């Protein structure tokens, strides 16, 4: 299927690695010009070079910076002539016990996983509506549907974003102008972040890393972790010209791990 996106411009945040990189790859593969961001310059430039090599007809702009800061967002927004597609993403907050978290930790989590996506939506959504096309995908987490005890900062901040998006996406001056806002909820995906979690789990339990990995996969009905490529493919589909009637939704990609009917 032609997704009808050739020549569009996307800002894909936090996209030198992992799920963000998967989204940028899928969009560039559909002929979308992309601005990608990350803090680390080296990995970001390497990813930009990979995208350019795979998609010679597409413009790829790499903007190094922290997307959770005002300066980082301003630089990312200024890099594209217009933004038709916005993929919101940033690193997730650390695990822990809420008894140890002070206001600063909460503010950092809210900044990264709630207020940053809202600021970027605010900066782009009205221009999208004026042009009559816009697609916004927020990478959140399966933890929004099924909270993970030790990820309280993530559960809280991402649920705040989810509630906000549920209301905003249904404004007629947004939905009625072919601008959609949806959340894409990853379960367990085989990225650096997941690898770090598995290593920490192995160290804590004294089990071998392979054992921890196999056990974790066995708990997923699909019997495997997801890949950044398949995450990116669904993101691109949600951004497609055909997805204009899909808005305000939380799309869970977890290999069947969430046990509920709805
Ligand atoms: N993988 C999973 O199984 C899973 C499951 C549920 C939720 N999630 C969530 O999905 C998101 C992406 O996860 P991932 O697995 O793709 O992580 P990852 O493999 O660690 O990749 C994170 C990417 O984001 C960039 N990044 C992180 N913080 C940034 C910031 N402040 N500004 C700009 N770029 C930033 C990183 O580059 P730099 O470090 O160089 O900035 C890197 O490119 C995270 O919020 C994570 O919590 C992931």
């Amino acid at each position: 299927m032609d997704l009808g996106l050739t020549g569009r411009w996307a800002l894909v945040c936090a996209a030198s690695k992992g799920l963000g990189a998967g989204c940028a790859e899928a969009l560039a593969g559909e002929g979308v010009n992309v601005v990608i961001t990350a803090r680390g310059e080296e990995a970001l430039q390497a990813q930009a070079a990979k995208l350019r090599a795979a998609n010679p007809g597409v413009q790829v702009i790499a903007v190094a910076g922290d997307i959770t800061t005002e300066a980082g967002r301003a630089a990312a927004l200024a890099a594209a002539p217009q933004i038709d597609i916005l993929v919101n993403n940033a690193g997730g907050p650390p695990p822990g016990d809420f008894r140890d978290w002070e206001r600063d930790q909460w503010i950092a989590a809210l900044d990264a996983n709630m207020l940053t996506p809202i600021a970027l939506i605010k900066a782009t959504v009205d221009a999208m509506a004026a042009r009559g096309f816009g697609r916004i995908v927020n990478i959140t987490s399966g933890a929004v549907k099924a909270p993970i005890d030790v990820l309280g900062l993530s559960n809280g901040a991402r649920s705040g974003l989810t509630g906000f998006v549920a209301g905003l996406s249904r404004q007629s001056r947004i939905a009625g102008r072919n601008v959609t806002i949806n959340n894409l909820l990853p379960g367990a995906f085989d990225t650096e972040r997941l690898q770090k979690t598995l290593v920490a789990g192995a160290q804590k339990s004294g089990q071998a890393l392979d054992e921890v990995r196999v056990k974790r996969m066995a708990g997923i009905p699909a019997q495997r972790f997801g890949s950044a490529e398949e995450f990116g493919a669904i993101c691109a589909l949600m951004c497609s010209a055909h997805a204009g009637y899909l808005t305000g939704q939380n799309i869970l990609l977890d290999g069947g791990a969430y046990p509920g009917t709805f």
Side-chain angles (χ1 to χ4, degrees):
M1 189 197 289
D2 176 1
L3 297 190
L5 292 176
T6 307
R8 297 281 186 197
W9 274 93
L11 167 57
V12 187
C13 305
S16 65
K17 297 174 188 169
L19 304 180
C23 294
E25 280 169 25
L27 288 167
E30 291 297 321
V32 176
N33 303 305
V34 291
V35 175
I36 57 170
T37 84
R39 293 163 302 181
E41 177 93 46
E42 202 178 318
L44 181 68
Q45 291 302 344
Q47 180 61 18
K50 185 178 163 194
L51 286 171
R52 289 186 193 109
N55 308 283
V58 151
Q59 294 189 59
V60 179
I61 300 173
V63 181
D66 185 339
I67 201 69
T68 69
T69 66
E70 216 165 302
R73 289 190 290 276
L77 289 164
Q82 69 184 51
I83 295 169
D84 306 303
I85 295 166
L86 169 64
V87 180
N88 275 316
N89 186 30
D97 185 323
F98 94 102
R99 292 165 190 82
D100 302 324
W101 297 329
E102 301 299 338
R103 183 177 164 78
D104 284 354
Q105 277 103 344
W106 276 108
I107 295 299
L110 291 170
D111 256 342
N113 299 112
M114 179 181 174
L115 300 177
T116 288
I118 292 172
L120 289 169
I121 293 170
K122 184 178 174 188
T124 54
V125 76
D126 289 335
M128 289 175 180
R131 290 191 298 268
F133 178 90
R135 299 285 183 263
I136 299 174
V137 175
N138 305 304
I139 299 179
T140 63
S141 172
V144 171
K145 265 184 89 87
I148 301 167
D149 177 24
V150 294
L151 293 180
L153 290 168
S154 171
N155 300 337
R158 295 188 200 278
S159 296
L161 175 67
T162 303
F164 169 75
V165 162
L168 183 74
S169 60
R170 289 170 171 86
Q171 286 187 358
S172 56
R173 63 179 173 166
I174 293 177
R177 294 287 305 154
N178 191 24
V179 177
T180 68
I181 314 179
N182 294 289
N183 305 313
L184 193 44
L185 285 55
F189 277 80
D190 209 353
T191 64
E192 267 187 27
R193 180 179 163 91
L194 182 77
Q195 182 64 14
K196 280 182 196 156
T197 316
L198 295 175
V199 168
Q203 281 165 353
K204 205 172 160 189
S205 66
Q207 292 171 304
L209 178 58
D210 259 5
E211 202 181 327
V212 172
R213 206 180 155 79
V214 166
K215 272 192 188 153
R216 178 84 192 269
M217 283 196 288
I220 302 168
Q223 300 288 287
R224 65 177 179 86
F225 298 136
S227 72
E229 290 72 25
E230 61 192 337
F231 189 87
I234 299 296
C235 176
L237 195 62
M238 290 165 71
C239 295
S240 79
H242 315 295
Y245 215 50
L246 177 81
T247 198
Q249 300 305 304
N250 290 285
I251 308 294
L252 183 61
L253 268 190
D254 70 348
Y258 176 72
T261 306
F262 299 104

